[in-house]
Amino acid sequence: MFDWKNFLESLERKTLGIVNITDDSFSGDGVLNSNQQLQKKFEIAINNDIKLLDIGCMSSKPGFKILKRNEEINRLNYFLQNKSNKFFYSIDTFSPLVAKKALDSGFLIINDVSGFVNEKMIELASKTKCGIILMHRNPKSTNLHEKMDYSNVIEEVNTHLIDQIENLIKSGIEEKQIAVDPGLGFGKKIDDSIELFLNLKNLINTYPLVVGYSKKRFIEKINMTKSELQKHCIDSGVALVRLHLDN
């Protein structure tokens, strides 16, 4: 069974590197059908002591289009044919079929940006005992990027995450499998994402916290350098900072 505490202790650097196997990622760094660019991502990760990579085969940017089932699988197969064995991997998907293929291929973690709303995804995580990254999802939202209203965004995000966790545990997932992500930039107005980021220390701390702010619009309004942003996260108790692999 995957255990986040033990796994995190094995990592020298607390970074989750992003690798997009796409041609339409919002950051423009997709490496679909470019093995040279994929190998460059591996090289950057190695040079920065990053051992855990998050592989996404479908863009989740605002206005993204759902891929046909076979297309996301085909992209994952392309990655598997060219992957490096020097890393641990998580799969960024909300497709149980894609997640199962990744786990069967040695991936350790499911990073489901939809918040594990799919019962088949929950069943898969419960059966395989893999690690999961549970992203915050407002229970009233109808899609990932619907901007929701909050009166106290920190308190409400904590409440929603606790409810989401309780649902997973009732469904057979164990606490040691779970890490949480506040979902910065997903279904939140810029000011709400800023408030969450500046108050990471006030988010629930009973589960490892994964934070992704890299190249999101709200971060441009925060007056910190790249190194200061990462230091703020680590000083706030964040377990993993999810970052794009740039030079």
Side-chain angles (χ1 to χ4, degrees):
M1 178 190 294
F2 186 89
D3 183 326
W4 269 107
K5 182 177 183 294
N6 291 340
F7 179 72
L8 288 168
E9 288 176 352
S10 74
L11 297 181
E12 190 169 329
R13 182 171 174 181
K14 309 306 182 186
T15 300
L16 175 57
I18 300 169
V19 179
N20 292 313
I21 312 300
T22 63
D23 56 6
D24 61 346
S25 65
F26 83 95
S27 59
D29 68 343
V31 297
L32 181 63
N33 297 325
S34 176
N35 188 42
Q36 182 179 1
Q37 290 300 314
L38 176 58
Q39 298 307 317
K40 186 175 181 181
K41 296 294 183 186
F42 292 148
E43 183 180 340
I44 293 170
I46 290 169
N47 290 341
N48 287 277
D49 295 321
I50 297 171
K51 300 295 186 184
L52 176 60
L53 300 182
D54 194 34
I55 310 304
C57 299
M58 182 173 72
S59 173
S60 57
K61 67 182 180 181
F64 73 95
K65 295 180 180 179
I66 299 289
L67 293 177
K68 293 180 180 179
R69 180 184 300 177
N70 288 344
E71 180 59 27
E72 193 175 357
I73 287 288
N74 288 342
R75 292 180 179 188
L76 177 58
N77 283 334
Y78 163 76
F79 174 77
L80 293 173
Q81 291 163 8
N82 296 284
K83 78 180 181 77
S84 168
N85 293 322
K86 297 180 179 179
F87 304 97
F88 301 112
Y89 292 107
S90 65
I91 183 69
D92 178 356
T93 187
F94 43 81
S95 164
L97 184 68
V98 173
K100 184 177 187 306
K101 172 73 174 179
L103 294 176
D104 289 345
S105 302
F107 283 50
L108 299 178
I109 299 158
I110 301 172
N111 178 17
D112 180 357
V113 297
S114 73
F116 283 83
V117 296
N118 188 321
E119 288 298 326
K120 290 184 178 179
M121 188 72 94
I122 296 174
E123 289 172 11
L124 176 65
S126 176
K127 181 179 179 180
T128 61
K129 300 302 180 186
C130 65
I132 71 169
I133 298 174
L134 173 66
M135 183 178 284
H136 166 258
R137 177 78 177 264
N138 190 303
K140 295 180 180 179
S141 69
T142 57
N143 66 73
L144 290 179
H145 292 291
E146 180 182 0
K147 303 300 183 188
M148 307 303 293
D149 292 320
Y150 294 93
S151 56
N152 185 328
V153 68
I154 296 166
E155 181 179 307
E156 291 171 68
V157 165
N158 279 338
T159 297
H160 296 158
L161 280 170
I162 290 169
D163 289 344
Q164 289 173 272
I165 290 166
E166 288 179 352
N167 179 58
L168 293 182
I169 291 174
K170 286 178 183 177
S171 300
I173 291 175
E174 301 199 26
E175 290 187 351
K176 64 180 65 176
Q177 293 177 251
I178 301 172
V180 297
D181 181 337
L184 302 179
F186 282 88
K188 298 172 183 70
K189 297 171 184 174
I190 287 177
D191 287 347
D192 289 329
S193 288
I194 291 172
E195 185 171 354
L196 283 168
F197 183 80
L198 294 178
N199 292 278
L200 292 170
K201 65 181 182 297
N202 294 322
L203 293 175
I204 60 173
N205 58 12
T206 46
Y207 296 87
L209 185 63
V210 179
V211 171
Y213 59 80
S214 184
K215 299 188 179 181
K216 293 181 179 177
R217 271 178 36 190
F218 78 88
I219 211 68
E220 298 171 2
K221 297 183 178 295
I222 296 177
N223 187 26
M224 295 185 191
T225 64
K226 284 186 177 181
S227 60
E228 287 171 341
L229 290 167
Q230 293 182 52
K231 185 176 186 300
H232 167 71
C233 289
I234 301 304
D235 289 349
S236 299
V238 171
L240 281 175
V241 183
R242 188 174 181 272
L243 294 174
H244 288 86
L245 297 173
D246 298 322
N247 288 320

